[in-house]
Amino acid sequence: MTMDLSRFNTLADDTIEAIADTVDDLLGDKIDADLQGGILTMTIGGGGGQYVVNKNGPMRQVWLASPVSGAWHFEWDDSGHWLSTREPKLALDAILAQELNDRFKVAIAF
């Protein structure tokens, strides 16, 4: 059953905003987080790359572009997580937190 678009937008927007707030709070001096029109762009200083988190309404997915692990697509699961469409045991929050923890040695959780 396809998720209602309104519910999808609420869940996706809340997730993307939470990521932006957490990154800004914990890594604001290392990452420039810019949230515009539902697209979160996180640029790492010194040419360290860029993360992009956005939503795809027609597919009911949240997408992540990572300079470390590449492109990911996630679908909402009733467990309360955005799970990868190619590796369903992997969640958006876990992947992003692990990559940022590895890079900045800061305990971060979304």
Side-chain angles (χ1 to χ4, degrees), residues 10-24:
T10 298
L11 291 168
D13 289 340
D14 289 351
T15 298
I16 293 169
E17 288 173 19
I19 292 170
D21 290 344
T22 301
V23 168
D24 193 45

Side-chain angles (χ1 to χ4, degrees), residues 28-39:
D29 59 334
K30 297 173 180 72
I31 295 179
D32 178 29
D34 182 41
L35 180 58
Q36 295 290 326
I39 301 170

Side-chain angles (χ1 to χ4, degrees), residues 42 44 48-53 63-74 84 86-87 90-100 102-103:
M42 299 177 287
I44 301 169
Q50 189 175 71
Y51 287 89
V52 178
V53 182
W63 291 359
L64 167 67
S66 162
V68 176
S69 60
W72 294 86
H73 297 171
F74 301 90
S84 169
R86 61 178 173 181
E87 295 183 47
L90 297 178
L92 168 63
D93 55 341
I95 292 168
L96 189 54
Q98 183 65 53
E99 290 185 17
L100 295 175
D102 290 348
R103 177 160 190 128

Side-chain angles (χ1 to χ4, degrees), residues 70-83:
W72 294 86
H73 297 171
F74 301 90
E75 294 179 344
W76 184 255
D77 183 77
D78 288 334
S79 68
H81 296 279
W82 292 96
L83 299 181

Side-chain angles (χ1 to χ4, degrees), residues 41-61:
T41 304
M42 299 177 287
T43 305
I44 301 169
Q50 189 175 71
Y51 287 89
V52 178
V53 182
N54 66 293
K55 60 185 182 178
N56 181 307
M59 297 295 294
R60 306 298 197 269
Q61 295 177 345

